[in-house]
Amino acid sequence: MKANPGGQIDLSEIIGRDQVVDQLWETLEQQSIRINAERRIGKTTVIKKLCETPKAGWVPIFQDLEQYHSAMDFAQAVYREIDGYLSTKQQSARRAKDFLTAIGGSEIKGVLKLPAFNDQTPWKILLTKSIEDLVEAREQHREKPLLLWDEVPLMLQSIAAREGQTVAMEVLDTLRALRQELGAHGLRMILTGSIGFHHVIDSLKQQGYANSPLNDLYAFELPVLEPPFPQELASKLISGENIQSADVVKAAATIAELSDGFPFYIHHIVKAVKLSGLEATSEGVSQIVTKQLVDSNDPWELTHYRDRIPTYYGNDAENIVLGLLDSVAANIEPVAVADVLRELKSQGLAIDREKLLKLLKAVEQDHYLAKDEQGRYRFRFPLLQRWWKLSRGL
């Protein structure tokens, strides 16, 4: 097994995700899912494993939605994907094709030429009929269609920016209606994204959106790799890269600990050890990790955690979020809300307890912080806390 930071991982090389995959399939028997996960935790790898190794009776169809910027783009992409899939089964997206023909499409030698789409094209009808076609076709074979859609929040943000918040709301409501109407016929969805769904929903609610379009989805929290899998992955990568080590077990254990169980960082650390030409030792690994964390080229892309703050929380709240994260990062022990509030006020920041509680909940949802049983806050990932302190000079 070779180190491949950021690249596509072969299914045969996925380690430590069998239990997660089983839990997802078990949940899908009852309802659709939205996956909550920090970036670089292996979300896309997990859903692609679902797609490429389906359980009997399931028909998974995967699409990355980041590239679509309008509701019509989305509906058309879903139609093409479903029609292409049904064509391989000698079936047809009948309802959708009848609709497209009715609005100006033409069929020549069995090939449908799509009409010219515009802002007035009823995308909801195309989307609905396409999914109805898929459900009807697979129900005849007693199969359940599973739509695996990645980067849904990014698509929704693009739709809101280009077509307005109302259209983004309509997309969410349409998908919820489809799950409600066709769920009994086997339809399931898994929605994921590198931006938290709560940011999209909060933005829409500020514009008067009152619905709860995701409350029928099970919120599945994708964890980091849990012991012994981080160490197993590190050991296999050290061996696969032919890196010399007098104590592979100890070196792999250090990599597992310092990476917080993120497969992405494990691959990066082993790659850096390989490029260094040095033996894999616990001390050497620690030095390499420190060097990577302070590298101005940011090989682990950790600056993203800082850069996304104004986008996630708004320019007005940027300094407050930075202040509260600084306050928590600088402390070894978990920090109480009252102590964070006191620290922020000492910096001259205008903040009251209610606003602070709202921001703390948001940064917790975005995986910066975690709350203990006493309601105190700490960084969720020690690696992120370490980088935050180094980058902020704390």
Side-chain angles (χ1 to χ4, degrees):
M1 184 186 297
K2 297 288 187 179
N4 185 16
Q8 289 295 320
I9 305 299
D10 189 274
L11 286 181
S12 64
E13 297 181 346
I14 297 174
I15 291 174
R17 291 307 194 187
D18 290 344
Q19 183 178 7
V20 167
V21 169
D22 288 343
Q23 290 170 343
L24 287 169
W25 284 122
E26 184 177 351
T27 302
L28 286 167
E29 291 290 346
Q30 305 301 321
Q31 64 188 121
S32 294
I33 297 171
R34 59 183 169 98
I35 294 181
N36 301 310
E38 186 47 71
R39 65 195 299 271
R40 301 306 192 182
I41 212 165
K43 162 182 55 66
T44 303
T45 299
V46 168
I47 61 175
K48 284 191 172 181
K49 184 170 184 177
L50 279 173
C51 188
E52 295 183 34
T53 56
K55 275 200 168 184
W58 287 91
V59 178
I61 297 177
F62 173 82
Q63 286 180 278
D64 185 343
L65 302 184
E66 183 177 2
Q67 60 190 301
Y68 305 117
H69 306 291
S70 71
M72 192 65 238
D73 285 346
F74 171 47
Q76 187 176 351
V78 172
Y79 161 73
R80 289 186 184 279
E81 192 72 21
I82 289 175
D83 185 56
Y85 168 78
L86 292 179
S87 295
T88 65
K89 305 295 182 182
Q90 287 77 51
Q91 295 175 309
S92 172
R94 178 181 52 80
R95 290 182 178 85
K97 284 189 173 181
D98 288 348
F99 164 69
L100 290 170
T101 301
I103 63 172
S106 57
E107 191 164 356
I108 301 175
K109 295 183 178 180
V111 177
L112 179 66
K113 181 180 179 181
L114 299 179
F117 294 115
N118 57 53
D119 293 340
Q120 304 305 313
T121 304
W123 60 265
K124 279 188 281 189
I125 299 177
L126 177 59
L127 179 65
T128 298
K129 289 186 179 297
S130 298
I131 294 177
E132 287 176 345
D133 283 328
L134 175 65
V135 172
E136 179 185 54
R138 302 330 302 161
E139 193 173 22
Q140 294 173 3
H141 296 269
R142 297 184 179 180
E143 293 178 329
K144 301 176 183 178
L146 170 61
L147 298 173
L148 291 143
W149 287 337
D150 199 11
E151 299 299 357
V152 176
L154 280 174
M155 182 190 71
L156 291 169
Q157 285 188 333
S158 293
I159 291 173
R162 178 174 295 190
E163 299 181 297
Q165 302 276 8
T166 300
V167 178
M169 297 176 196
E170 290 176 352
V171 170
L172 283 167
D173 289 342
T174 301
L175 295 181
R176 190 178 193 279
L178 284 166
R179 292 193 299 270
Q180 290 179 325
E181 294 168 9
L182 300 176
H185 299 276
L187 175 67
R188 295 291 186 270
M189 299 178 186
I190 293 183
L191 311 184
T192 76
S194 55
I195 294 176
F197 286 94
H198 59 283
H199 287 295
V200 176
I201 301 301
D202 288 347
S203 176
L204 297 179
K205 286 186 175 180
Q206 290 175 13
Q207 305 299 316
Y209 185 55
N211 289 355
S212 298
L214 304 177
N215 65 358
D216 64 311
L217 298 170
Y218 181 78
F220 189 94
E221 186 75 25
L222 184 63
V224 295
L225 291 180
E226 298 177 351
F229 298 115
Q231 187 170 342
E232 178 185 342
L233 174 58
S235 295
K236 289 187 174 182
L237 291 175
I238 290 172
S239 175
E241 292 288 358
N242 295 315
I243 299 172
Q244 296 300 310
S245 179
D247 193 340
V248 174
V249 173
K250 188 175 180 181
T254 302
I255 293 172
E257 178 185 358
L258 296 180
S259 67
D260 283 346
F262 278 77
F264 176 74
Y265 300 137
I266 294 173
H267 278 263
H268 257 295
I269 294 169
V270 175
K271 187 71 172 180
V273 174
K274 173 70 173 181
L275 293 176
S276 74
L278 301 175
E279 182 180 351
T281 66
S282 181
E283 296 76 12
V285 166
S286 296
Q287 291 172 4
I288 282 174
V289 169
T290 299
K291 185 178 179 180
Q292 297 267 296
L293 291 178
V294 299
D295 190 334
S296 61
N297 292 316
D298 190 25
W300 294 5
E301 303 174 15
L302 291 165
T303 306
H304 171 79
Y305 287 101
R306 167 61 182 88
D307 292 343
R308 72 187 190 182
I309 287 175
T311 302
Y312 278 19
Y313 309 106
N315 292 324
D316 293 342
E318 180 178 3
N319 287 334
I320 296 174
V321 172
L322 291 175
L324 74 86
L325 290 175
D326 286 349
S327 177
V328 176
N331 283 273
I332 298 175
E333 298 296 327
V335 184
V337 173
D339 293 331
V340 177
L341 183 61
R342 189 180 305 111
E343 174 66 23
L344 293 177
K345 287 186 175 180
S346 74
Q347 297 176 24
L349 295 170
I351 179 86
D352 58 33
R353 185 179 177 84
E354 289 304 313
K355 183 176 181 180
L356 176 60
L357 289 172
K358 184 176 180 180
L359 285 174
L360 283 168
K361 180 180 179 181
V363 296
E364 186 180 1
Q365 288 177 307
D366 289 323
H367 306 106
Y368 287 96
L369 303 181
K371 187 163 55 176
D372 67 13
E373 293 177 354
Q374 285 74 47
R376 300 172 303 176
Y377 288 86
R378 58 172 175 79
F379 263 70
R380 180 166 183 175
F381 303 111
L383 177 66
L384 178 56
Q385 181 177 10
R386 183 180 177 189
W387 173 82
W388 191 269
K389 291 174 67 176
L390 288 168
S391 68
R392 301 283 294 168
L394 301 175

